[in-house]
Amino acid sequence: MNDSSWGAPQGAGHWGAPQMRAAPAGPAYDVRVPDVPDAGRDADDRDDRDQGAGRLSGGPLFRDEIPQEPMSTAPPPPQKKRAGRDLRAAIGVGVGLGAVIVASLFIVKAVFVAVVVLAVVVGLWELTSRLQERKGIRAPLIPLAVGGAAMVVAGYARGAEGAWVATALTALAVLVWRMAQPPADYLRDVTAGVFAVFYVPFLATFVAMLLTADDGPQRVLTFLLLTVVSDTGAYAVGWRFGKHKLAPRISPGKTREGLFGAVAFAMVAGALCMQFLIDGGSWWQGILLGLAVAASATLGDLGESMIKRDLGIKDMGTLLPGHGGIMDRLDSLLPTAPVVWLLLVLFVGSG
């Protein structure tokens, strides 16, 4: 497109001085008017020339248009698997807790019992708080905390009989305490309270009962080691090789490969612990013990995952960086305690 197509005067094909033309003769028109070029029209001419050049050269059609790079058809690089939590914080907190527990376990047994009582009280506080926040369930914390502490102490001091008596009295205290409030939702609240009695302090009582044997510290250490090793094996193998979901509706992160890792790790650790830590123990008993621990720890983890899914939460608390709350660490320990206590009694006696 050129200038003549826009009706430019003859000879005006360049940017020079404006040409003058005469107006019609007469007294009112006896002046010379300069012929000023139309700036907007000339700018449009330059745009059209630029667009034409762009079409020929394959460049952008407009001056403000940015050339687009061709889309890449190569598949994106595979992303590395990452842990869902802060692994450094989780390891640091785990090592710190382990040091406190082991130190209290082998120095003074009563100090370890106090650690168990503290864990039970904090766990009950987390559980009852989440129940009230998410479901409006008012499980009475005071009788639960006082009764839970009494249950652990009774199990250590009086054995199984003392633990059962303390459990019954704690459940009764929950029923009576809730009577001081309006009767609306009474059945719902006391049911949750009795559930909390058995879920946290009753299962923790078996840890205290493990300690009453002559080799009590070694039994408790075996219980702790097997549970931790089982969880570690499940995490390591599942993170590296996990492909088949174990229970996707309950805990999507758990895999069948992780379960096999938990069983293998726990069986090896069980054989070593029974052979070298437990008086009168044998390696084959440790294999059976490790298998049972892997099963109970996995079921306990799935059980708490079910509770958290029902409540619509990821963690029961935030006290332990990289772990969540106390209950997020007790989920596999609590159901494993009675299993280890019973099998050790069957294998080597109550001590």
Side-chain angles (χ1 to χ4, degrees), residues 65-137:
E65 182 180 345
I66 300 176
Q68 299 292 328
E69 296 182 0
M71 297 291 292
S72 175
T73 58
Q79 296 182 352
K80 295 183 178 180
K81 292 183 178 181
R82 298 186 62 184
R85 298 184 183 273
D86 187 343
L87 195 56
R88 291 183 179 179
I91 293 175
V93 171
V95 171
L97 288 175
V100 171
I101 292 172
V102 172
S104 64
L105 182 61
F106 286 94
I107 294 176
V108 180
K109 291 183 178 181
V111 175
F112 177 76
V113 174
V115 172
V116 176
V117 168
L118 179 62
V120 166
V121 172
V122 176
L124 286 169
W125 169 71
E126 289 180 345
L127 179 59
T128 56
S129 298
R130 301 297 88 78
L131 289 174
Q132 185 168 359
E133 290 173 1
R134 308 298 297 184
K135 296 291 187 178
I137 300 175

Side-chain angles (χ1 to χ4, degrees), residues 225-258:
L225 284 176
L226 291 187
T227 307
V228 172
V229 167
S230 174
D231 288 346
T232 303
Y235 173 81
V237 176
W239 180 81
R240 182 64 181 86
F241 303 104
K243 294 181 179 179
H244 303 88
K245 301 297 184 182
L246 178 63
R249 290 188 298 177
I250 301 175
S251 183
K254 291 178 176 54
T255 62
R256 299 176 187 175
E257 292 81 3

Side-chain angles (χ1 to χ4, degrees), residues 209-210 212-215 219 341 344-346 348-351:
M209 290 165 55
L210 281 170
T212 59
D214 295 335
D215 58 347
R219 296 193 181 201
W341 176 82
L344 288 179
V345 169
L346 294 176
V348 295
S350 59

Side-chain angles (χ1 to χ4, degrees), residues 9 12 14-19 34-42:
H14 59 87
W15 294 98
Q19 298 182 1
D35 188 6
V36 181
D38 189 345
R41 185 174 62 188
D42 292 335

